[in-house]
Amino acid sequence: MQPSDTVQPIVLLVDKEDPAAHYDAVAAAAAASVSAYARREDDGPWENWVYGRFTKTVRRASPKAFAKLAAQAPSGTVVVGRAQALAFEPVTYEEMPKAVRALQVSGTQLPDEDPVPGRPGAPVVVVNADLEMSTGKAGAQAAHALLSWYLTLSGQEQDAWCTDGCPVSVRAAAGTEFRALAAAPGAGPLIVDAGMTEIAPNTATAFVAAAGTVTGPPAAR
C-alpha cells in the first residue's frame, strides 16, 4: 500500500480572552484526532493515510470561526478543561476546505497553566519535555501517539474507550525519565518525528505510557 499524501486537519479553539491550558489543548487535539477516525462512516479517506505517516496539521481558530467549523467536524467537539478541539478526515492540502486552510498554523502557544486532572484509568500521553514543543506541534505529536496506541487495541477495547468519550491526559517527561517510561513494558508505540517543523528529524516525541507507570501531576515540564 502506498503512503498517503493526505493530511488530517485538527483545529484548536484559541480564545484570547480566556485561553486554555497548554496540556489540556494538547490532550483535546489528540482525542479529537482519534475520535474523527473512530467515528468514520467510510474507510476511503482514511485507508492509505492510517497505514502511512498519518500526517496532521494543527490549526488555531477564534471562537467565531471555531463555532462555524464545529458542525462540520466528524470528531464532534472534544473538550478537556477549557480546551476545545475538532478534527476532520484526511485530505490533500489542495482539497482542504478553504475555511480550514485559512486558519493559522505556526505559533500556536497556550499558557503553561495546571491542566485538569486526568480521569483514572484513561491513557496518558507522555511528550518529550526536552523539545519544548509549541502547543500546536505537541498536539500533533500527541495525536500521533494516541492513534498509534488506539490501533493496538482490540475492537472491543476501542469501542469501550470511545463510548467513554475518548478520555486522555498529557504530561511531559525529560531525559532519562522519558526514555525509561517509553521502554516500559506495555507502553504504546514511540513516535519519532520526520522533522519537518520545529524539531530535528528522527527525534522521539511522544508515546502513551504503560498503565500505572505515570504518577504525580499530569503535566510537569
Side-chain angles (χ1 to χ4, degrees), residues 175-200:
T176 55
E177 182 190 14
F178 180 85
R179 293 190 291 273
L181 288 170
L190 179 64
I191 303 306
V192 178
D193 191 57
M196 291 186 286
T197 59
E198 290 195 24
I199 59 178

Side-chain angles (χ1 to χ4, degrees), residues 89-153:
E89 65 183 24
V91 293
T92 64
Y93 280 103
E94 293 75 19
E95 295 171 336
M96 192 178 297
K98 290 182 180 179
V100 176
R101 193 167 62 231
L103 299 175
Q104 189 70 26
V105 179
S106 61
T108 301
Q109 183 63 59
L110 291 170
D112 281 330
E113 299 174 357
D114 289 339
V116 295
R119 191 184 303 180
V124 178
V125 177
V126 178
V127 297
N128 189 341
D130 290 329
L131 304 178
E132 297 184 351
M133 293 180 283
S134 68
T135 305
K137 182 68 173 181
Q141 298 305 304
H144 286 323
L146 192 64
L147 179 60
S148 296
W149 167 83
Y150 176 84
L151 294 173
T152 69
L153 303 180

Side-chain angles (χ1 to χ4, degrees), residues 154-221:
S154 68
Q156 185 175 7
E157 290 169 330
Q158 290 177 347
D159 290 343
W161 180 66
C162 290
T163 299
D164 197 29
C166 303
V168 62
S169 61
V170 175
R171 67 154 291 180
T176 55
E177 182 190 14
F178 180 85
R179 293 190 291 273
L181 288 170
L190 179 64
I191 303 306
V192 178
D193 191 57
M196 291 186 286
T197 59
E198 290 195 24
I199 59 178
N202 302 316
T203 301
T205 59
F207 59 91
V208 171
T213 59
V214 175
T215 59
R221 73 167 183 169

